Amino acid sequence: RGKRAFIAGVADDNGYGWAIAKALAAAGAEILVGTWVPALNIFENSLRRGKFDESRTLPDGSLMEISKVYPLDAVYDTLEEVPEDVKTNKRYAGSSNWTVKEVAESVKNDFGTIDILVHSLANGPEVTKPLLETSRKGYLTAISASSYSYVSLLKHFLPIMNPGGASISLTYIASERTIPGYGGGMSSAKAALESDTRVLAFEAGRAGKIRVNTISAGPLGSRAAKAIGFIEKMINYSYTNGPMQKELAADEVGATAAFLVSPLASAVTGSVVYVDNGLNTMAWHP
Ligand code: NAI
């Protein structure tokens, strides 16, 4: 039987989630995605109208099939805790069952089990603000959307993950070295995500023989990254100063993700794996 993957955080064909979906599809996995509720309509319409057909093309010439797109807002765990103004918001009212618990239940009802869980989402409303100017609310929202969202997803999907399965998330080196401009508590959120990767690897390993790793990816001009404001500079900096002097393709992160969730990586868990053309290893840039 082929493996089944749920990838949270796909809303266009530019980001790491899409590239990971393609790499897993190319390796034979069935693909389910979770798409942020406010982005759902545009994503589904674009898919239907064939806007992604070129970028859906796999190495063998076939098109990646997405078995089902689930609306998801990973900031909410259960329907009970969704505030009234969100429930009645025009962009949310048209969809249902999009809290983490409900999505996991829907996937269980539709497919029974999964083998692979991917978290490729982040949000920090004050990302352009320095930490010293970040509000408590902005900081906690960054942590909620970018870190706890992973704890919650793994908690709710673990019971339907087949033993031997694996989970990954995406992190950024601003967690451990200062990157001025990656603000709003996003650096804090990535630090939490990396620490949680180690603790969750232990807990999910013991509870369900599930491996948990995170990929520390280099800069990519995704939709989310453009919101930070200086992504082109980061990409140029990385190109100029890294050991490889080459551009980072999202597909390279996809390939590492496919490795990490495969039996080839059966002894790798609790790790932060760098896919950044080696930039993290440099201390001085000649
Ligand atoms: P992206 O824009 O393709 O992905 C972010 C996704 O998160 C979007 O689809 C967005 O709709 C979704 N999202 C935001 N809030 C959500 C919520 N509450 N519930 C559900 N979905 C929500 O951008 P990208 O850059 O590919 O991001 C994926 C991951 O990669 C993120 O964790 C990001 O921090 C990480 N990363 C990105 C780097 C970059 O330079 N682009 C570098 C290192 C890590």
Side-chain angles (χ1 to χ4, degrees):
R1 189 184 70 76
K3 293 191 175 167
R4 186 177 297 119
F6 181 84
I7 302 157
V10 180
D12 60 37
D13 60 348
N14 293 319
Y16 283 133
W18 178 269
I20 292 168
K22 275 180 72 177
L24 297 182
E30 176 174 15
I31 304 300
L32 317 176
V33 306
T35 301
W36 196 28
V37 187
L40 182 74
N41 278 341
I42 296 179
F43 180 62
E44 286 198 305
N45 287 337
S46 305
L47 257 184
R48 211 175 304 120
R49 291 192 194 137
K51 212 189 134 203
F52 300 139
D53 282 359
E54 206 183 307
S55 57
R56 266 203 309 145
T57 309
L58 300 176
D60 71 357
S62 68
L63 295 188
M64 168 173 71
E65 291 300 333
I66 298 176
S67 294
K68 191 158 177 181
V69 177
Y70 292 87
L72 167 71
D73 194 323
V75 158
Y76 303 107
D77 304 310
T78 64
L79 185 61
E80 293 71 50
E81 63 194 42
V82 179
E84 213 42 50
D85 62 318
V86 176
K87 263 185 208 158
T88 55
N89 180 302
K90 210 169 67 212
R91 295 197 291 179
Y92 283 78
S95 302
S96 54
N97 297 321
W98 41 258
T99 66
V100 176
K101 181 164 182 256
E102 293 170 296
V103 173
E105 281 166 2
S106 301
V107 170
K108 183 182 181 185
N109 291 337
D110 295 341
F111 296 96
T113 61
I114 64 166
D115 304 284
I116 297 162
L117 174 68
V118 178
H119 176 281
S120 182
L121 63 98
N123 201 2
E126 297 181 19
V127 64
T128 56
K129 287 190 190 164
L131 194 51
L132 276 175
E133 285 162 31
T134 298
S135 71
R136 184 182 299 269
K137 186 161 178 256
Y139 183 100
L140 293 177
T141 302
I143 298 270
S144 171
S146 314
S147 316
Y148 189 78
S149 58
Y150 186 53
V151 177
S152 179
L153 274 164
L154 189 56
K155 167 189 172 144
H156 287 98
F157 275 90
L158 198 54
I160 64 161
M161 288 184 77
N162 293 313
S167 181
I168 54 163
S169 64
L170 275 299
T171 187
Y172 185 51
I173 196 170
S175 59
E176 43 177 322
R177 309 255 196 280
T178 306
I179 307 230
Y182 194 77
M186 278 307 300
S187 57
S188 331
K190 292 305 192 190
L193 183 66
E194 290 173 23
S195 180
D196 294 347
T197 297
R198 294 180 280 272
V199 178
L200 294 171
F202 172 77
E203 295 183 3
R206 293 296 172 93
K209 292 265 182 294
I210 303 296
R211 293 181 299 104
V212 180
N213 293 289
T214 188
I215 292 176
S216 185
L220 173 78
S222 66
R223 190 189 175 104
K226 283 178 181 142
I228 304 169
F230 64 121
I231 186 69
E232 293 307 327
K233 265 193 191 167
M234 293 160 95
I235 291 170
N236 289 338
Y237 181 91
S238 175
Y239 183 97
T240 307
N241 297 299
M244 304 298 294
Q245 296 213 311
K246 73 172 184 59
E247 232 172 86
L248 177 67
D251 288 346
E252 295 177 292
V253 168
T256 303
F259 157 71
L260 281 174
V261 300
S262 83
L264 291 173
S266 55
V268 184
T269 193
S271 289
V272 179
V273 177
Y274 296 92
V275 185
D276 65 347
N277 282 322
L279 188 69
N280 75 91
T281 63
M282 302 294 295
W284 183 64
H285 302 134

